[in-house]
Amino acid sequence: VLESGTTDYLFASSYGFNIPSGARIDGIEVSSSRRAAKNIVRDDRVSLVKGGIILATNKAYKAGLWPTNVYAESRTYGGAADLWETNWTAEEVNAPDFGVALSAINESEYDTPLVAVDFIQVTVFYTPLPATTTTIDCGSGTAVIVYNSSLTCIATVTRSAGDSTPGGSVSWTTDGNGTFSISPCTLAGSGASATCTVTYTPDEVGDGLHRITATYAGDANYAESSGSQDVTVEKATPTLALTNSPVTYTGEQQAAAVVNSVPGEVSNIQYTDEA
């Protein structure tokens, strides 16, 4: 029974979509069969729900009333090329909190007709994107870097099909401690492959092995991908710089410092001169 005014939202969710990861969402169509006992009810809001939040776009059909026929045909909102004024990922559509929010309005101040929503159907139109492969070159084999220095790494993204060159960015991470300059890096190239370069500087030696991973975010034409390579971070060779500091013997204990030129290897050495 619908009293005068606007209803609360009816939420339809948990559709169980399984759109392939990286697919391009082209459009979303909503179909709903709803009816009222009297010709005094119309749509108030028909919006998609993204991440549990109702989108601002409202495709309610306010030009016509809800039908009174039990077997009335459904009304369609959106379409094969309609993204409802936002961008979508496959993960957002597959999520259980993706769905539709629907509300109605009773334009009569006196009647309280029975209303019903038989179903809310959602159709997602998408294009599977060609796969890519991402490879890393930080040096042949297991690359070696000496602590307190840097290493250059190149990511190469190659398409599996299509005509355009992969574009966009590559983000870099490591399971060790270190920094990348600059991450993400922007791909450049022509033909089937594109590359970008970063400089990796380890913050500590650790156990010697650092796994470096490059993740391609994908673009409008190609799916995301990632690749990894291990590098060995070796200890630097310590060197000492000794300063000859003449001391005049006074009969008292004397001390002088020897400073290590490689930070973190030898911190301080002292000697004493006693009578």
Side-chain angles (χ1 to χ4, degrees), residues 113-127:
L114 290 171
V115 295
V117 176
D118 297 320
F119 65 83
I120 300 176
Q121 175 180 293
V122 177
T123 304
V124 179
F125 300 86
Y126 68 92
T127 301

Side-chain angles (χ1 to χ4, degrees), residues 189-266:
S190 60
S193 298
T195 63
C196 67
T197 303
V198 296
T199 300
Y200 176 62
T201 305
D203 293 336
E204 63 182 35
V205 177
D207 60 3
L209 279 178
H210 289 199
R211 170 154 291 190
I212 294 177
T213 300
T215 301
Y216 172 51
D219 63 9
N221 300 305
Y222 296 107
E224 62 186 26
S225 59
S226 63
S228 299
Q229 182 179 357
D230 290 334
V231 301
T232 299
V233 183
E234 296 185 340
K235 295 181 179 180
T237 302
T239 58
L240 297 176
L242 303 178
T243 301
N244 183 14
S245 301
V247 178
T248 300
Y249 177 67
T250 64
E252 301 294 331
Q253 176 176 296
Q254 306 292 323
V258 180
V259 180
N260 168 35
S261 65
V262 179
E265 296 296 337
V266 180

Side-chain angles (χ1 to χ4, degrees), residues 96-111:
D97 56 6
F98 165 77
V100 180
L102 181 148
S103 63
I105 184 169
N106 179 3
E107 297 187 335
S108 172
E109 296 182 6
Y110 309 104
D111 288 337

